[in-house]
Amino acid sequence: MTRTPPDALAVLQQAAAQHAAGRHRLHLVPSENGLSLAARIPHLMDAAVRYAFPGDGTENWAWPGRQDLVAVEQAAAERLGAQLGAEHVNLKPVSGVSALTVALSALAGPGATAFNLAERDGGHGSTRFIGTRLGLQMRDLPVDPATCTLDLDALARLLGTGSRPQLVYLDAFMCLFPVDLPGLREVVGPEAVIHYDASHTLGLIAGGAWQNPLAEGADSLGGSTHKTYPGPHKGLLATNEAGLAARLDEHASHFVSHHHPADVVALAVAAAEMDARGRQYAHATVANARRLGAKLAERGFTVCGEKAGFTDCHQLWIDIAPLMDAEQASRRLFETGIVVNAIPLPHITADAGLRLGVQEVTWAGMREDCIDELAAIFTAVLRDRVDPAAVTPRARALAAAYRPDGADEQVLCSALAAAGIGGDA
């Protein structure tokens, strides 16, 4: 047996230390989720080091012996298609930005006009850069700050002075409420391609707790599979139009050579888990987010979207400036054992606020009564300025209540021991 080099052991020990510390924290970052033990196992398998390309229905003799992996991918695409209401699903993208790049390339040619959300309105920071590099003429979709949604009247006026866009790329990584897709279609016309980046809401769509873009007027959707969807860090593209599917497949085959079979298997596992409990999880996620927003507002926090019920998804935005700087708030929560985003928020005057997501704790099983305790912890640490160390036991108790059972830790400890590291992870 080949011994693990000391420097490699040091790397594993450092990662294991981060893992152990993270188990005692509550993670409220909207762009992350848990991954079950079953979905982690494929990365210990042969799939983690292999290519897998389908043949013409028979064995691909350029890459023989991969038919099981090809079959898993095909079944996963079918299952995801059923969840999303899509006839065509492509699992080539390796991330949300990978899916974004393929979509921008496939759906509009150089010189075409493409609209997306400005970063100040919650658009993804990579869309404009990648679109411009691909030769697209990128323009801002107008947003109504009062409702945190598209201003379709302003868009209609804007388009009245020029040509219609070839592509509308809906890339909200900051989102609270759905898009009026039928209204958008009416404004941009039948020829424009509407692509919906569902990175943040994919799991809510699959669970029936968020608008279904393909049913409401979007031509295609894409995004990552690890935010509200509890899968691995990967991406997908989906559509009901055969012509668009062919274009997406062609461009994906050039932008992505190797799409990581172990991640595909992990996604297939996650998709099966979503079939088993995705509907309950998705609706509980939205209920938990709304409850947390309401409880924080009751305690004097400035929660965006209050007039519309705070949120229709997993995200909450808190303008924390009346109490303290956003980075200070994030630091105090981290010292307590809670991880959040301190980032710029749309339509607030402060440089940054707190962006929260409840999908990970909800996937772990958190109920609404514990959401009340979570709001009380926020109040103690941020509003009442209680020493974080004094509140940490309460946060740790919540984290312990929803920590995965010991099976995953037993597997990890066994793997670390096999590599030459003893003791707890």
Side-chain angles (χ1 to χ4, degrees):
M1 175 179 176
T2 302
R3 295 189 61 181
T4 307
D7 286 353
L9 291 176
V11 170
L12 290 174
Q13 288 172 325
Q14 189 171 10
Q18 186 278 331
H19 171 86
R23 294 184 72 240
H24 298 291
R25 297 183 181 123
L26 289 166
H27 295 267
L28 300 179
V29 175
S31 53
E32 299 174 343
N33 209 328
L35 191 65
S36 70
L37 173 60
R40 293 171 187 250
I41 287 176
H43 293 90
L44 295 176
M45 294 181 174
D46 193 55
V49 299
R50 301 298 170 205
Y51 288 88
F53 301 115
D56 56 0
T58 61
E59 184 75 55
N60 182 346
W61 291 108
W63 303 91
R66 320 296 163 92
Q67 284 301 105
D68 286 334
L69 296 177
V70 170
V72 166
E73 179 175 352
Q74 292 172 340
E78 291 176 5
R79 190 185 297 270
L80 283 155
Q83 293 173 359
L84 302 174
E87 294 184 13
H88 308 279
V89 175
N90 185 302
L91 300 183
K92 274 277 195 178
V94 295
S95 68
V97 170
S98 172
L100 179 156
T101 304
V102 171
L104 288 175
S105 177
L107 301 177
T113 299
F115 278 77
N116 77 299
L117 292 164
E119 286 189 63
R120 65 178 180 276
D121 293 321
H124 195 280
S126 296
T127 310
R128 185 64 53 92
F129 177 85
I130 294 172
T132 300
R133 295 293 294 175
L134 289 171
L136 304 180
Q137 303 299 311
M138 304 297 297
R139 301 184 66 183
D140 293 343
L141 285 165
V143 171
D144 182 355
T147 62
C148 300
T149 57
L150 291 183
D151 188 335
L152 295 180
D153 291 335
L155 179 59
R157 291 192 297 271
L158 184 64
L159 294 181
T161 64
S163 60
R164 303 281 171 166
Q166 183 174 333
L167 172 65
V168 177
Y169 192 101
L170 299 171
D171 58 335
F173 92 110
M174 305 286 292
C175 60
L176 295 176
F177 305 108
V179 175
D180 179 2
L181 285 166
L184 176 62
R185 172 60 70 193
E186 184 176 349
V187 171
V188 301
E191 300 303 320
V193 174
I194 298 176
H195 181 83
Y196 192 104
D197 192 318
S199 291
H200 268 273
T201 55
L202 191 71
L204 304 183
I205 296 168
W210 183 257
Q211 67 183 143
N212 185 313
L214 296 179
E216 294 185 17
D219 298 290
S220 55
L221 68 79
S224 57
T225 59
H226 61 267
K227 297 180 174 71
T228 55
Y229 207 94
H233 282 231
K234 188 159 174 53
L236 59 73
L237 293 157
T239 183
N240 284 315
E241 299 182 29
L244 288 185
R247 285 157 58 183
L248 291 168
D249 289 350
E250 178 188 7
H251 287 247
S253 70
H254 292 289
F255 277 100
V256 184
S257 170
H258 180 216
H259 58 302
H260 308 164
D263 287 333
V264 174
V265 178
L267 180 56
V269 171
E273 293 170 341
M274 280 293 287
D275 269 356
R277 63 186 184 98
R279 181 162 293 274
Q280 182 277 332
Y281 150 72
H283 287 274
T285 294
V286 177
N288 280 345
R290 288 173 176 161
R291 187 177 185 93
L292 181 58
K295 292 299 178 181
L296 290 174
E298 288 174 6
R299 289 163 168 80
F301 288 85
T302 303
V303 184
C304 299
E306 181 172 5
K307 291 182 179 180
F310 304 105
T311 185
D312 283 341
C313 63
H314 62 302
Q315 290 192 19
L316 282 174
W317 305 345
I318 302 176
D319 183 357
I320 200 67
L323 296 176
M324 64 182 66
D325 175 82
E327 289 191 3
Q328 180 187 3
S330 179
R331 185 183 308 112
R332 288 179 63 84
L333 288 169
F334 185 78
E335 291 170 355
T336 306
I338 298 174
V339 184
V340 302
N341 282 153
I343 61 175
L345 298 179
H347 318 309
I348 67 171
T349 57
D351 291 338
L354 300 183
R355 185 181 69 151
L356 314 181
V358 300
Q359 72 291 338
E360 184 169 347
V361 294
T362 305
W363 181 248
M366 184 172 284
R367 304 179 306 274
E368 289 190 16
D369 57 331
C370 291
I371 292 293
D372 296 353
E373 169 66 357
L374 187 58
I377 292 172
F378 269 70
T379 303
V381 174
L382 301 181
R383 189 195 71 183
D384 300 340
R385 305 282 183 133
V386 175
D387 185 348
V391 189
T392 294
R394 295 168 62 183
R396 281 188 167 233
L398 271 184
Y402 298 103
R403 188 180 301 146
D405 62 35
D408 59 338
E409 291 307 298
Q410 292 174 11
V411 171
L412 176 58
C413 287
S414 295
L416 289 172
I421 299 176
D424 295 336

